């Protein structure tokens, strides 16, 4: 998956940081070296990983962006390094799903060297994990990231003393500015030889040290070739359930209670003294963040400001995007004229001409004109994510989210859902509670994803004139309210079920607990990268799934039981669509064309728009000419503004695309729940659109 | 929640520094907070409280957003003069042991249970009074 980075220039610096003066050449024979990149959340692991491997994994400024283990290989001095990027963790005792992944991998035999990325501007907290990693007994290299920020603040870190006390190499790096990266890999390649001689950095109180010694002896008796008894002894004293299961040793008489708190406190004691010694010129910092927070997380203005920001995001998406869209429409127009001319001079048959002009250009081309809207949306989302505001939203929205039985933390997936449902559902891994995850996965598709934008733009532009933007924006509000309401009802049902099972269980709301990173001005490179990656995904979707869906659609709409048909109402598509007419009738969507386009929308939501382009034989349906032509056709069918709004509602709620469905199945790990989610969204969409259509029909 | 001198992170006002006295939280959230640096005896600044009662505080240089029910179970006491003195004292004394440069952490580990290791910080404060 990763392209090898071009060979780094020859290093002149010797292996100073390990301090032992021995140059190891074993790596020559070893060949591949697996390096696990670990550290606190939001400390820059993925940025570092990207720098080495040339990959473009997503980075942003909130804790929990990476929820999956990602591997990449690169060559350095003729050796292959397998780098593994892991989700961030605060300690080796996991809390949520993505953290379990990290711990399992770090403790496995697959890792040759651990690179611990510490946020140097936040040394005290970062070193807590470092101490735990050293205790594992594997080779650890400490990479002090964000050294540029430390220097900007005028602070200094005594790297030599830090190395001396910890007994591991300490390398200053800046993943963003790509400094220190060569030295880091150089040290890694040499350091793999050193089986940490000194996993004994923290000396605990006499009481605990005695117990560690006793447990270690018992471990050795039972298990003579145990890799690192001290680590296991400490974990057993902490009553770590996983270790206790995997390492069954009788510790009765020694471990009379959990010594976890004592062990944590003594580690922090050690760190406090260490930091006092190595960190010089400590500055009162982050006044900027405090000032900004006093506005953005204000107890009263916090929520209005958030909705104001989101309103602005979508307003820009719809209005600003439309301007640029005009240019693309012009290009599409000339392309279709040029193609039609080209095809006739080539004497292409009518079927081929139809496939290209009516199928591909009408279907795929239309989708491409929405690119500006999509790009602007992702640009805005990238700003939110990279500035540090994302994590604040969980705090601001916590009150609302608690009322519906979720923690404010669940709002991050929902917010990501405005971009794309697939990564949003992945992001639910940071929720530690299984029920919270399920509820969040259920409601995240209600947040209108970027693929629904073409549908909203098309339908609202056609029927709502000056109020088009308003009609489109209303979809976001309706989706959010419906999502919150659904979670509220689900929580009520869960609580009822709990009470039936045991009367003494009282409903427990998961409490908010999240680190708020400091604000920073968004990094131009990572913002543009984020936008580009999403635009690229959109383009490749247009070239693959949407293209394929258009070809299939063209086929079923051009052929019927009698072969190639001129009249679409005789085609296979019409036959299929007519099955749905009675079901969609109460929602004002009882037209076979609508039925077909809604089915096609399961492949990807944009296909709803493509299919209408194909069905109504209009090359570019969102050009002014195309719009009015289609408006007339639809109007003649009896499809008016209310029908259009009802269709927007249906598209908003109904089952997301196949990709989202696949990720739902993967994350829920249950066929039963996946089927439920699928059915629920379908039924919900139908009920909502019927409700809107029927109620509004009463008044007009 | 207020009991004698006992104040919780929820009940105290914004802007001042406090010392974490005790947390009555259950696992695994207690462990999580401890891993994030919120341990007994640590200094904590509360800087914000939302309408729903969740708070923002700074612990060991990190901002944490903490829900209301968690904040209600974290007990704090005000910074006393001795805390401040103690911190200064700490800085002067540099409890890390000799800078003998003999490599790999030995400086810090030579004495088992050196300054502040056998003693809990709370006791050290008392002895200064």
């Amino acid at each position: 998956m990763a392209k090898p980075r071009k060979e780094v220039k020859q290093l002149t610096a010797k292996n100073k940081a390990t301090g032992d003066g021995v140059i190891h050449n074993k790596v020559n024979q070893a060949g591949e070296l697996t390096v696990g990149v670990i550290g606190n959340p939001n400390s820059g692991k993925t940025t570092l990983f990207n720098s080495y491997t040339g990959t473009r994994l997503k980075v942003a400024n909130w804790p929990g962006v990476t929820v999956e283990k990602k591997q990449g290989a690169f060559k350095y001095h003729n050796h292959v390094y397998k780098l593994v990027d892991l989700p961030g963790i605060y300690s080796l005792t996991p809390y949520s799903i993505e953290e379990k992944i990290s711990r399992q991998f770090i403790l496995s035999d697959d890792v040759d060297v651990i690179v611990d990325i510490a946020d140097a501007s936040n040394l005290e907290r970062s070193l807590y994990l470092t101490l735990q990693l050293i205790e594992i007994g594997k080779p650890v290299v400490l990479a002090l990231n964000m050294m540029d920020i430390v220097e900007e603040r005028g602070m200094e870190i005594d790297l030599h003393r830090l190395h001396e006390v910890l007994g591991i190499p300490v390398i200053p790096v800046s993943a963003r500015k790509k400094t220190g990266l060569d030295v880091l890999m150089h040290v890694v390649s040499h350091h793999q030889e050193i089986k940490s001689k000194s996993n004994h950095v923290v000396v605990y109180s006499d009481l605990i040290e005695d117990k560690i010694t006793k447990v270690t002896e018992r471990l050795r008796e039972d298990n003579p070739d145990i890799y690192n008894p001290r680590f296991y002894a400490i974990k057993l004293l902490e009553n770590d359930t996983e270790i206790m299961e995997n390492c069954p040793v009788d510790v009765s008489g020694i471990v009379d209670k959990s010594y976890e708190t004592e062990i944590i406190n003594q580690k922090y004691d050690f760190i406090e003294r260490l930091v006092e010694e190595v960190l010089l010129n400590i500055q009162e910092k982050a006044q900027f963040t405090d000032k900004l927070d006093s506005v953005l997380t204000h107890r009263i203005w916090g929520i209005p400001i958030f909705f104001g920001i989101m309103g602005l995001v979508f307003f820009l998406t719809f209005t600003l995007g439309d301007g640029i869209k005009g240019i693309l429409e012009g290009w599409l127009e000339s392309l279709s004229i040029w193609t039609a001319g080209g095809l006739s001079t080539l004497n292409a048959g009518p079927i081929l001409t139809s496939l290209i002009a009516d199928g591909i250009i009408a279907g795929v081309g239309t989708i491409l004109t929405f690119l500006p809207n999509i790009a602007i949306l992702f640009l805005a989302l990238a700003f939110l994510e990279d500035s540090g505001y994302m994590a604040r939203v969980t705090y601001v929205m916590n009150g609302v989210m608690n009322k519906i039985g979720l923690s404010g933390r669940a709002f991050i997936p929902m917010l990501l859902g405005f971009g794309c449902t697939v990564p949003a559902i992945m992001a639910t891994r940071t929720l530690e509670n299984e029920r919270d995850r399920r509820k969040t996965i259920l409601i995240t598709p209600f947040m209108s994803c970027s693929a629904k934008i073409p549908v909203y733009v098309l339908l609202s532009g056609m029927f709502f004139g000056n109020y088009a933007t308003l009609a489109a924006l209303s979809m976001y509000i309706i989706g959010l309210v419906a999502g919150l309401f659904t979670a509220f009802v689900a929580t009520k049902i869960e609580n009822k079920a709990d009470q039936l099972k045991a009367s003494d269980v009282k409903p427990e709301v998961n409490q908010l607990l999240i680190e708020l990173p400091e604000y920073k001005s968004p990094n131009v490179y990572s913002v543009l990268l984020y936008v580009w990656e999403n635009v690229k995904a959109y383009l490749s979707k247009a070239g693959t799934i949407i293209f394929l869906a258009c070809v299939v659609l063209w086929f079923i709409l051009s052929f019927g039981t009698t072969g190639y048909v001129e009249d679409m109402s005789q085609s296979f598509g019409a036959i299929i669509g007519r099955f749905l007419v009675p079901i969609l009738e109460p929602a004002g969507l009882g037209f076979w064309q609508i039925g077909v386009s809604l089915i096609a929308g399961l492949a990807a939501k944009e296909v709803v728009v493509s299919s209408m382009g194909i069905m109504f034989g209009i090359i570019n349906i969102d050009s002014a000419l195309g719009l009015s032509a289609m408006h007339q056709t639809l109007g003649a069918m009896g499809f008016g503004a209310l029908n259009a709004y009802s269709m927007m509602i249906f598209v908003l709620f109904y089952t997301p695309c196949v990709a989202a469905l696949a990720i739902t199945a993967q994350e829920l790990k249950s066929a039963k729940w996946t089927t439920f989610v699928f059915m629920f969204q379908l039924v919900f969409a139908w009920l909502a659109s019927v409700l809107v259509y029927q109620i509004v029909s009463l008044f007009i | 929640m207020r009991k004698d001198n006992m104040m919780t992170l929820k009940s105290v006002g914004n802007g001042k520094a406090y010392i974490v006295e005790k947390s009555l939280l259950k696992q695994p959230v207690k462990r999580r907070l401890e891993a994030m640096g919120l341990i007994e005896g640590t200094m904590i600044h509360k800087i914000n409280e939302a309408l729903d009662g969740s708070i923002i505080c700074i612990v060991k240089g990190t901002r944490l957003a903490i829900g209301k029910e968690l904040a209600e179970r974290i007990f704090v006491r005000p910074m006393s003069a001795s805390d401040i003195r103690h911190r200064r004292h700490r800085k002067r004394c540099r409890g890390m042991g000799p800078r003998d440069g003999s490599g790999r952490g030995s400086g810090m580990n030579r004495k088992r249970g050196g300054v502040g290791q056998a003693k809990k910080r709370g006791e050290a404060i008392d002895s200064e009074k």
Side-chain angles (χ1 to χ4, degrees), chain A residues 18 20 90-91 93 95 99 122 124-125 128 158 161 163-168 194 197-198 200-206 209-210 238 260-261 264-266 268-270 272-274 276-277 280 282 285-286 289-290 293 297-300 392 395 398-399 402 508-509 511-516 518, chain B residues 26-40 42 47-52 54-56 58-71 73 87 90-91 94-109 111-121:
Chain A
T18 48
D20 54 5
Y90 290 105
S91 84
T93 313
Y95 188 62
E99 297 186 8
N122 198 346
E124 205 168 341
R125 224 264 320 283
Y128 178 69
D158 184 345
R161 180 65 179 153
H163 153 66
E164 203 175 59
V165 173
L166 293 176
I168 55 169
I194 307 161
K197 294 164 193 159
S198 51
H200 211 87
V201 172
V202 185
V203 179
Y204 298 98
S205 65
D206 291 348
E209 282 295 337
D210 284 347
E238 287 178 356
E260 198 177 2
T261 302
I264 294 175
N265 284 347
Q266 288 174 26
Y268 267 115
D269 257 3
F270 179 92
E272 196 175 319
R273 280 175 295 124
L274 177 58
E276 267 165 24
E277 188 164 335
L280 313 168
I282 303 169
K285 56 179 178 181
T289 293
D290 285 343
D293 260 347
T297 61
H298 189 272
R299 54 189 286 137
I300 291 156
R392 266 76 184 182
Y395 174 74
N398 189 48
N402 273 183
E508 204 174 312
V509 170
Q511 286 291 311
L512 179 70
L513 179 52
I514 190 174
E515 182 184 343
L516 305 179
E518 277 178 32
Chain B
K26 284 186 219 136
Q27 299 294 17
V29 74
K30 181 176 160 76
R31 183 184 301 130
R32 184 16 115 57
L33 271 168
E34 285 170 343
M36 287 172 131
L38 201 151
I39 54 168
E40 284 165 28
T42 205
I47 55 172
N48 203 333
E49 183 173 331
L51 280 181
D52 69 296
S54 41
I55 61 138
I56 299 180
I58 301 184
V59 182
K60 296 192 194 296
T62 325
R63 284 174 180 70
L64 301 179
I66 298 178
K68 177 186 163 203
E69 279 168 51
L70 300 184
R73 285 176 210 161
R87 286 189 169 266
R90 268 270 172 105
K91 233 166 221 170
R94 288 267 167 94
M96 294 292 285
R99 234 178 220 263
D100 58 0
S102 62
R104 300 195 187 281
S106 56
M108 208 156 166
N109 298 328
K111 282 182 285 180
R112 263 175 73 158
V115 182
Q117 266 177 348
K119 278 183 199 164
K120 271 177 69 176
R121 201 170 316 154

Side-chain angles (χ1 to χ4, degrees), chain A residues 81-136:
Chain A
Y81 291 82
K82 214 169 82 187
L83 217 56
V84 184
D85 183 30
L86 295 161
I89 54 174
Y90 290 105
S91 84
L92 278 182
T93 313
Y95 188 62
S96 49
I97 305 168
E98 95 277 13
E99 297 186 8
K100 285 193 184 106
I101 300 172
S102 297
R103 153 153 157 169
Q104 266 165 15
F105 184 75
I106 283 297
L107 292 184
S108 74
D109 292 333
D110 298 337
V111 191
D112 297 316
V113 180
I114 298 169
V115 171
D116 174 26
I117 311 278
D119 176 355
S121 62
N122 198 346
L123 199 58
E124 205 168 341
R125 224 264 320 283
S126 309
L127 285 175
Y128 178 69
L129 179 67
T130 311
L131 291 182
Q132 288 191 313
L133 292 171
I134 293 172
E135 275 173 356
I136 297 176

